C-alpha cells in the first residue's frame, strides 16, 4: 500500500495562529522539518508561508486528520537546497 506524505505546519508570521499546528497533504516527498511551505489557511484559504514542524508518511486511512478536510501544500522551499546554494 502506498504511503502518503502529511506535514504539520506552523504559521509563525501570523499572530492569530502562531503556536498551532495545521495538517496538510504534501506532494513533495523530499520535505523535512524546518522547510518553508506555502499553504492555504483559514476559511478563505488565503495562502501563507509556514514552517514544517512534523513530517508523517502513512497510509491515507491513518491520516492525522480526516482526508476530506486536509488541504494540500501549494509550494515548498527545501532547506537543503538553500544550504547548498549558500555554501557554494
Amino acid at each position: 500500500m502506498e504511503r502518503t506524505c502529511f506535514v504539520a505546519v506552523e504559521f509563525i508570521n501570523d499572530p492569530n495562529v502562531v503556536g498551532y499546528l495545521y495538517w496538510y497533504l504534501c506532494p513533495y516527498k523530499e520535505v523535512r522539518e524546518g522547510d518553508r511551505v506555502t499553504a492555504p489557511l483559514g476559511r478563505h484559504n488565503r495562502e501563507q508561508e509556514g514552517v514544517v514542524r512534523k513530517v508523517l508518511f502513512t497510509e491515507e486511512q491513518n491520516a492525522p486528520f480526516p482526508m476530506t478536510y486536509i488541504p494540500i501544500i501549494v509550494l515548498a522551499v527545501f532547506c537543503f537546497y538553500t544550504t547548498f546554494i549558500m555554501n557554494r
Side-chain angles (χ1 to χ4, degrees):
M1 190 171 269
E2 186 175 335
R3 297 170 67 125
T4 303
C5 181
F6 298 95
V7 293
V9 177
E10 180 183 11
F11 296 92
I12 59 175
N13 296 323
D14 187 332
N16 297 313
V17 296
V18 69
Y20 294 97
L21 298 180
Y22 296 87
W23 284 100
Y24 290 87
L25 183 62
C26 186
Y28 309 103
K29 305 296 185 200
E30 307 85 12
V31 70
R32 299 185 304 184
E33 292 177 9
D35 288 344
R36 295 198 174 275
V37 294
T38 301
L41 180 67
R43 63 180 173 195
H44 299 296
N45 287 323
R46 195 177 110 232
E47 291 181 3
Q48 293 192 49
E49 184 178 287
V51 178
V52 174
R53 298 297 188 203
K54 296 180 183 178
V55 179
L56 173 66
F57 287 94
T58 189
E59 293 79 22
E60 287 187 5
Q61 66 265 21
N62 297 325
F65 204 75
M67 285 297 294
T68 55
Y69 299 113
I70 294 183
I72 299 174
I73 293 294
V74 176
L75 176 69
V77 177
F78 303 112
C79 289
F80 62 88
Y81 290 134
T82 305
T83 303
F84 174 75
I85 291 169
M86 293 178 70
N87 291 330
R88 288 184 87 187

